[in-house]
Amino acid sequence: MENRKRNVHLHVMVTPDELAAIHERMAEAGISNAGAYVRKMALNGYILHIDLAPIKELISLQRRCSNNLNQVAVHAHTYGVYPEEIDGLKRDYEKLWGEVSKVLRELSELVAK
């Protein structure tokens, strides 16, 4: 083993499901040598870490807006509705969807890289 170019042994434990997934990805990549595949992925592969906090915040805002809309709908059916209430809701939704669009654009740019 001293004369080999790669003479350091690396041992990795995986579950049967993980091994099946590795073999599936090897087949998709057209690689039959597990060592070559694992080495290539370890050296050149990508790990994406995506901070989903902005999306969680948007979901929370969307839920609040939906709740507000339901409250206005109940009020409108019971007492009638004021145009300024509808205008306020429209502004809130425009702001929310503007932020949603911004986050989705950033995510699509990140995935495209």
Side-chain angles (χ1 to χ4, degrees), residues 1 6-15 18-19 22 34-35 38-39 42:
M1 207 158 140
R6 295 183 178 95
N7 59 2
V8 177
H9 179 78
L10 176 65
H11 181 78
V12 179
M13 299 293 291
V14 295
T15 66
E18 291 169 335
L19 182 60
I22 290 169
V38 172
R39 184 172 43 256

Side-chain angles (χ1 to χ4, degrees), residues 16-34:
D17 290 340
E18 291 169 335
L19 182 60
I22 290 169
H23 284 153
E24 191 175 304
R25 290 186 180 156
M26 284 173 54
E28 289 171 1
I31 299 173
S32 59
N33 183 317

Side-chain angles (χ1 to χ4, degrees), residues 17 23-24 49 51 58 62 67 83-84 89 91 96 110:
D17 290 340
H23 284 153
E24 191 175 304
H49 174 73
D51 181 13
L58 288 174
Q62 199 277 332
N67 186 43
E84 55 272 3
L89 284 172
R91 282 191 303 274
L96 172 67
L110 180 64

Side-chain angles (χ1 to χ4, degrees), residues 35-71:
Y37 175 78
V38 172
R39 184 172 43 256
K40 181 73 172 162
M41 290 303 296
L43 294 172
N44 302 326
Y46 291 96
I47 296 176
L48 295 177
H49 174 73
I50 301 173
D51 181 13
L52 297 178
I55 292 175
K56 290 178 183 178
E57 178 63 22
L58 288 174
I59 290 169
S60 175
L61 289 171
Q62 199 277 332
R63 283 186 182 137
R64 282 187 252 155
C65 284
S66 295
N67 186 43
N68 291 344
L69 182 60
N70 286 337
Q71 290 175 3

